[in-house]
Amino acid sequence: MRKLFRNLAMSAVVSVLALSTSVPSAYAADDAKKADEAKAADVAAKPADAAKPADAAAKPADAAKTEEKKEVTGKDLAFDRAKGNCLACHIIAGGDLPGNIGPPLAGVSQRIPDKAKLRAQVYDARVANPDTIMIPFGPMGVMNDEEIDKVVEFISTL
Amino acid sequence: MKKAFTAVAIVVALAASSFSTAQAGPAEDLAAFQGYYAKLFPNVPAADFKDGAYALDAALKEQWQTMEEFPPYEPDVDAGKKMWETPFKDGKTYADCMGDVKAVRGKFPHYDAEKDTIATLEGALNACKTAGDGEGFMDKEGKPLLNKGKIAQLAAYIAMEGRGGKIDIPTPEGKAVAWYDKGKNFYYAKRGQLNMSCADCHTYNAGKKIRADLLSPAIGHVTHWPTYRSADGEITTLHNRFMGCNTMVRANKFKAQGDEYKALEYFLTYMSNGQEWNGPGSRK
């Protein structure tokens, strides 16, 4: 059935990359909390996890600066709604209100022991599954290489 | 030789697949679309899809029904009724353009062959007001405001009066098919920095949770507008929700009542044929 839908839609599968560089401005809009659509941004928005509001406030809006900040861990990035937001779709130990679109990540390092493979999945999930809903974090510039490495380190402890 | 054969086979396969795509018209799409959800949610009665995510979860539904005991959109319906009854500057009223209020909801959206466009409820209300008042719905700065505010209140009254009717969009034919296809393509196209289609969330993963939100199936998406969302604290239109869902995946949002969203509304409403009109709605 899913196949049928894809066929129907084949001509339509066009990626419209809109806000190519404006990850920080997506936060800004949400911070301002004025636009209703920002409130609707259940997935991509909210500067950081509710669990660490102080950290969120301290976080610079600039992605490059975030990168310099050594205290930002792979776990932080994985849980941050504006970065990995892996919890939107995956159950991860220690994360609140996880979604269930993707498989729980517990034991993922045993299922995918090869770190390069694990990284490839996080970098661009479309390679393994062209239809995937999982965000192509690398090619779309949602996280940079260093951030992706950190996230991969983190999930390989799970 | 083998290579050439493979190439030919591929061309034939492509031709065959595009042929079958061309054959699948709106009526076939509709059957497949509704059949998909019937199979995905065998325990949800077809008539319940109008309740969105609440149709899928008894506990959520109960909370929602409690909320509906004191409908948060009631003041909006009252304000809308007043607007409906108040004459324009030229002395005419909405009823002069739109006819009996009870029948208005069910007339939209439809393909307007004369203008080769999709006529929507909000579009018609705005045109009617513009004709009578010399100006349409605007914000304080004088810019068109078609996704919330007064136009949503007026639509709330109309939705209330039209409750209980069934969605019954004629199968798109002729030039209407181009509008239908435009809406369908919009629905299935990946977009935004997060690279997701409407279908990713509301077809393939309907019933799953994205973070704390239960994803509603697209069948029933159009039935209950305008909707008062507690998160917004105000009543908003269907196109406002489209804008929100586009923004969520960090894509460009489009203008309320622009061609993109009118086409999307037309497609989604046809896909909800048979569902009951049950607006205005409330959502958390």
Side-chain angles (χ1 to χ4, degrees):
Chain A
M1 183 48 76
R2 199 182 155 135
K3 264 257 171 63
L4 170 68
F5 276 111
R6 283 217 21 103
N7 284 338
L8 295 176
M10 213 136 59
S11 61
V13 185
V14 194
S15 281
V16 187
L17 179 56
L19 295 159
S20 52
T21 56
S22 40
V23 176
S25 76
Y27 296 132
D30 193 54
D31 282 346
K33 277 219 179 337
K34 62 173 225 304
D36 53 313
E37 60 269 23
K39 281 185 215 151
D42 305 310
V43 180
K46 305 286 150 52
D49 238 49
K52 29 186 209 57
D55 200 60
K59 207 172 270 180
D62 191 64
K65 280 190 210 149
T66 309
E67 193 185 321
E68 285 161 25
K69 285 208 138 194
K70 288 287 177 277
E71 72 268 27
V72 177
T73 64
K75 186 177 179 180
D76 292 339
L77 290 162
F79 286 11
D80 187 338
R81 284 174 196 256
K83 284 290 178 183
N85 198 15
C86 317
L87 285 171
C89 302
H90 296 282
I91 298 171
I92 304 173
D96 291 334
L97 300 174
N100 62 0
I101 289 176
L105 291 186
V108 71
S109 57
Q110 274 122 60
R111 288 195 299 281
I112 313 178
D114 180 351
K115 226 177 239 184
K117 268 199 187 144
L118 202 53
R119 189 181 196 284
Q121 174 68 24
V122 179
Y123 183 82
D124 189 352
R126 294 174 302 186
V127 175
N129 172 11
D131 296 337
T132 189
I133 188 177
M134 182 162 153
I135 300 160
F137 289 98
M140 287 301 186
V142 179
M143 292 192 287
N144 63 31
D145 284 352
E146 199 191 323
E147 289 168 334
I148 290 173
D149 288 340
K150 281 185 179 178
V151 168
V152 171
E153 281 306 321
F154 166 62
I155 61 169
S156 62
T157 65
L158 299 173
Chain B
M1 185 59 212
K2 198 177 166 196
K3 241 193 183 150
F5 184 77
T6 313
V8 168
I10 289 171
V11 169
V12 169
L14 281 175
S17 78
S18 65
F19 180 71
S20 64
T21 305
Q23 286 299 293
E28 289 78 9
D29 291 357
L30 176 61
F33 199 88
Q34 298 200 345
Y36 170 84
Y37 291 108
K39 223 167 135 188
L40 190 60
F41 303 110
N43 300 321
V44 176
D48 285 9
F49 285 116
K50 65 184 187 309
D51 296 336
Y54 303 131
L56 311 180
D57 184 304
L60 283 181
K61 187 167 186 168
E62 211 179 294
Q63 284 174 26
W64 171 62
Q65 282 169 337
T66 307
M67 175 153 83
E68 283 275 324
E69 280 170 23
F70 300 96
Y73 44 75
E74 217 164 59
D76 298 307
V77 172
D78 292 346
K81 182 172 196 286
K82 218 166 177 180
M83 275 180 253
W84 180 269
E85 287 163 355
T86 308
F88 298 122
K89 287 178 185 152
D90 72 355
K92 291 194 176 150
T93 65
Y94 284 106
D96 290 320
C97 321
M98 317 282 299
D100 176 11
V101 68
K102 297 246 179 249
V104 174
R105 179 57 274 189
K107 290 181 189 163
F108 300 95
H110 66 256
Y111 176 67
D112 177 342
E114 206 175 298
K115 297 198 180 110
D116 186 22
T117 191
I118 298 300
T120 61
L121 172 60
E122 289 84 357
L125 292 173
N126 196 46
C128 182
K129 181 174 180 334
T130 306
D133 268 351
E135 59 184 36
F137 290 90
M138 294 183 302
D139 63 13
K140 288 194 186 89
E141 277 115 55
K143 278 188 278 177
L145 185 64
L146 304 176
N147 58 319
K148 56 167 112 175
K150 293 207 154 122
I151 197 168
Q153 293 182 316
L154 182 56
Y157 170 61
I158 291 164
M160 188 60 115
E161 292 294 312
R163 270 191 184 181
K166 290 267 167 71
I167 297 180
D168 186 17
I169 307 285
T171 299
E173 279 174 10
K175 281 170 113 182
V177 176
W179 282 93
Y180 169 87
D181 282 339
K182 185 179 165 77
K184 179 172 117 180
N185 289 346
F186 196 103
Y187 183 80
Y188 289 103
K190 295 257 193 192
R191 66 185 66 246
Q193 191 188 26
L194 304 190
N195 197 53
M196 290 179 201
S197 66
C198 314
D200 277 334
C201 287
H202 296 292
T203 299
Y204 310 131
N205 288 292
K208 295 258 177 77
K209 275 180 144 175
I210 191 155
R211 203 85 195 207
D213 286 316
L214 187 60
L215 286 166
S216 56
I219 178 173
H221 259 177
V222 300
T223 60
H224 53 278
W225 299 89
T227 290
Y228 184 98
R229 263 186 91 201
S230 313
D232 294 338
E234 63 181 328
I235 196 151
T236 58
T237 66
L238 177 64
H239 290 201
N240 189 72
R241 182 75 231 195
F242 294 163
M243 291 159 87
C245 281
N246 276 166
T247 306
M248 201 189 300
V249 298
R250 302 181 192 166
N252 274 328
K253 61 178 185 214
F254 294 90
K255 270 199 310 224
Q257 298 306 318
D259 285 352
E260 292 83 4
Y261 289 163
K262 286 199 298 185
L264 184 57
E265 176 179 345
Y266 181 54
F267 166 72
L268 282 176
T269 311
Y270 179 59
M271 289 295 123
S272 282
N273 259 0
Q275 293 289 312
E276 194 178 303
W277 289 111
N278 65 335
S282 65
R283 293 289 184 267
K284 70 174 165 67

